[in-house]
Amino acid sequence: MGLGGPGRARFVPERRWGVGRELPVARGTVDGRAFEARPTHWVENGETIVVWWLVEAAEKQMTPDSLRLEHERAAFLMAAANELTSLDAERCLDTTVRLAARHLADLALVIVPKAGRGHRAVYCGPDGAIVREDMKASPTEIPGVAEALQGFPPVPSRWIDPALVPNPLLRHGFDEPGSMVVTALPGPGTPVGALVLVRKAGNAAFSDGEESLTRQFAARAGTAMSAARLYAEQASITEILMRELLPPQTRDMDGVRLATGYRPSGLGEQVGGDFYDLFPAVDDGESLIVLGDVCGKGLEAAVLTGKIRNALQVLLPLARDHQQVLDRLNEVILLNGDPTKFVTLVLASVRHRKGRVWMRLTSAGHPPPLVLRANGEVEEVPTVGTLIGVIDKISTHTVGIELGPGETCLLHTDGVTEARGGPLGKEMFGDERLRAELAGCAGMPPDALVERVQMLARDWVGDGYHDDMAVIAITPRRERTPTEGKRDP
């Protein structure tokens, strides 16, 4: 606005300035408020015209106390944001009420919906103790809470009568609540809860600035709680899905001792592209053992692994004919329509009788099984076949073998033999090195043999990258003689 009237003399210099000269900015106060008079000039009809604009210097008006208060509030919000970084939902709740009770009020209360029906409350008072409980009172009985939980704008504290709050909700000796603020904890779409702050009678009521600070704090707390809740939901879903994708628990089958080992490629991962499954014999038939390797790594490969394992479960009645099982499985994978998604498999049908194990082995593009004889000789089972999921018609060749006492059939994925490392860090572990190492493991129990193979591959790779690795050892269970287990007289 243009400056005129009696206040003009306080600001506008009396000295006349020539055209082209820079005019100074005049400063002063009117009724305790800081102002600046900023000049502008132009030439009109050969005459210089100067207009002084009066601007309130709001930033200059703040007193040292108000500046300190603003700095303290900014520091509090920054510290709160740093503390509200946990992805644990309960810890976020605790941190929210603890910070609010320490810096904003005498009592802090967070009300959140429960899964299903009802609400629960988390309290914190001046002593810092945190109390959790299910709410017996309805949110509609607490002024402003029902509106906050629905995402409505907060009700000003001067409109809320804390005397209307049900007594059970006021803890830590709050016989006479003096003032109360209620605000929403924002979430994605709907609030994740409501923040209630209460001050004792006799303490200062909430100012407009404190209500604004409460809303800013609630925004940060709501964001942190939303992130923690989302993380918890995703973790729960992942855990459920992972449970279905994890390899089954190893258990001995009728007359057969089994040991398995699995090591995903990624650090900290639980599943990957390698998998195995165990199907015990039904009605004195054959047990079926499956070891496979899906193209790809990580969770995406694990999803395809889950589909394959489910399909094999359905195809189990056809297990007497390995070719038919693999034909049907090939059709299932081809239905996905992605030629880059394929799998190699080895099927092992196992039957035990009189201390010996008879096996039928069929490879579909998979590394051949190895047999470790009792004398240390290592044999490669000559079964070959087409990998699954690439072409419409596959071919396989099934080979039968027999295992005697102390002899083991070893199934493994190419993550073992193709592990790169060694002295130069680039050489593959290889089939020959694996067979040479196995020759020194004759008579070793299956669990020890699996551990030995995994240790060899792990040491060969060192700190370098490796593919998924899976190993299964199958050996006849040693039968006791009639005199074994009897004590000497």
Side-chain angles (χ1 to χ4, degrees):
M1 64 179 176
L3 180 63
R8 180 178 184 275
R10 306 184 193 179
F11 296 99
V12 180
E14 293 298 331
R15 179 179 176 184
R16 297 180 180 275
W17 295 85
V19 178
R21 297 288 302 277
E22 182 180 355
L23 298 175
V25 175
R27 296 179 177 86
T29 59
V30 177
D31 297 330
R33 297 168 60 188
F35 290 90
E36 290 183 350
R38 299 177 181 175
T40 19
H41 68 276
W42 64 90
V43 178
E44 184 175 325
N45 298 325
E47 183 181 358
T48 301
I49 299 175
V50 180
V51 177
W52 295 83
W53 296 91
L54 186 65
V55 180
E56 185 171 8
E59 69 277 7
K60 308 292 185 182
Q61 189 180 5
M62 299 184 69
T63 65
D65 287 342
S66 60
L67 280 173
R68 177 183 52 78
L69 182 60
E70 288 300 319
H71 285 310
E72 289 176 354
R73 290 175 176 175
F76 163 66
L77 292 174
M78 184 176 297
N82 290 334
E83 290 196 43
L84 289 165
T85 55
S86 174
L87 290 177
D88 184 290
E90 292 301 316
R91 187 174 297 176
C92 268
L93 272 172
D94 293 351
T95 302
T96 297
V97 295
R98 188 177 63 252
L99 287 172
R102 184 186 302 165
H103 298 279
L104 301 174
D106 297 313
L107 170 69
L109 165 67
V110 170
I111 299 173
V112 294
K114 288 171 55 180
R117 298 181 60 184
H119 294 78
R120 67 190 187 99
V122 181
Y123 302 82
C124 184
D127 60 357
I130 294 174
V131 180
R132 301 180 186 85
E133 67 176 27
D134 292 340
M135 286 182 57
K136 296 181 176 59
S138 168
T140 57
E141 300 179 42
I142 310 171
V145 169
E147 293 84 352
L149 291 174
Q150 295 177 37
F152 292 135
V155 178
S157 62
R158 59 183 176 275
W159 294 0
I160 298 177
D161 183 1
L164 300 177
V165 178
N167 287 334
L169 287 176
L170 298 181
R171 303 302 174 88
H172 304 282
F174 269 67
D175 298 328
E176 296 183 22
S179 56
M180 186 170 78
V181 166
V182 180
T183 190
L185 293 165
T190 58
V192 295
L195 174 65
V196 180
L197 303 180
V198 185
R199 286 180 178 172
K200 295 180 180 180
N203 289 350
F206 292 93
S207 66
D208 291 342
E210 288 173 324
E211 290 188 33
S212 175
L213 177 65
T214 297
R215 289 193 293 273
Q216 294 177 62
F217 169 73
R220 287 160 172 79
T223 300
M225 291 169 60
S226 298
R229 179 179 294 181
L230 179 61
Y231 177 80
E233 291 175 356
Q234 291 177 339
S236 177
I237 294 172
T238 301
E239 182 181 358
I240 294 171
L241 295 176
M242 197 72 71
R243 198 179 302 140
E244 298 298 319
L245 297 176
L246 286 173
Q249 293 290 328
T250 304
R251 58 186 184 278
D252 290 348
M253 297 179 177
D254 181 31
V256 178
R257 291 186 62 190
L258 285 177
T260 59
Y262 181 66
R263 187 186 181 195
S265 60
L267 183 64
E269 293 181 354
Q270 295 179 285
V271 296
D274 288 4
F275 69 95
Y276 59 84
D277 226 329
L278 314 172
F279 303 98
V282 179
D283 299 330
D284 196 31
E286 295 176 315
S287 301
L288 181 65
I289 301 170
V290 182
L291 180 66
D293 183 358
V294 169
C295 175
K297 300 174 181 63
L299 190 58
E300 185 177 358
V303 171
L304 181 55
T305 293
K307 293 180 181 179
I308 293 171
R309 291 178 62 189
N310 289 336
L312 288 170
Q313 183 78 44
V314 174
L315 296 172
L316 197 57
L318 307 177
R320 290 184 179 275
D321 186 343
H322 287 184
Q323 179 68 45
Q324 191 174 5
V325 170
L326 295 173
D327 282 339
R328 302 289 83 78
L329 182 61
N330 188 57
E331 293 172 2
V332 169
I333 299 178
L334 286 175
L335 286 176
N336 287 332
D338 187 348
T340 65
K341 303 299 182 185
F342 58 86
V343 60
T344 68
L345 284 171
V346 60
L347 303 182
S349 292
V350 183
R351 181 188 294 271
H352 174 268
R353 184 170 296 170
K354 296 181 181 180
R356 304 184 74 82
V357 169
W358 281 265
M359 299 180 64
R360 293 185 299 114
L361 295 159
T362 305
S363 172
H366 202 80
L370 300 174
V371 176
L372 175 60
R373 298 298 182 185
N375 61 2
E377 182 181 350
V378 179
E379 301 173 1
E380 183 179 289
V381 180
T383 172
V384 293
T386 312
L387 53 82
I388 308 297
V390 176
I391 59 177
D392 294 335
K393 185 67 175 177
I394 64 170
S395 61
T396 61
H397 174 59
T398 302
V399 176
I401 65 168
E402 179 181 345
L403 299 178
E407 297 181 336
T408 302
C409 179
L410 186 76
L411 312 179
H412 65 88
T413 57
D414 59 11
V416 174
T417 52
E418 295 182 4
R420 292 186 178 273
L424 300 179
K426 297 181 179 180
E427 184 181 357
M428 288 198 302
F429 188 69
D431 298 302
E432 293 298 330
R433 187 173 284 105
L434 176 60
R435 286 195 290 268
E437 293 287 353
L438 288 178
C441 300
M444 189 176 288
D447 51 351
L449 183 61
V450 167
E451 178 61 29
R452 174 66 177 165
V453 171
Q454 286 189 307
M455 183 191 71
L456 289 169
R458 185 169 59 246
D459 291 347
W460 185 259
V461 171
D463 295 331
Y465 170 82
H466 65 85
D467 200 354
D468 299 329
M469 299 180 185
V471 184
I472 299 179
I474 308 162
T475 191
R477 181 182 298 168
R478 180 173 176 267
E479 295 185 346
R480 292 185 175 184
T481 64
T483 58
E484 276 188 311
K486 293 184 178 181
R487 296 182 178 179
D488 294 334

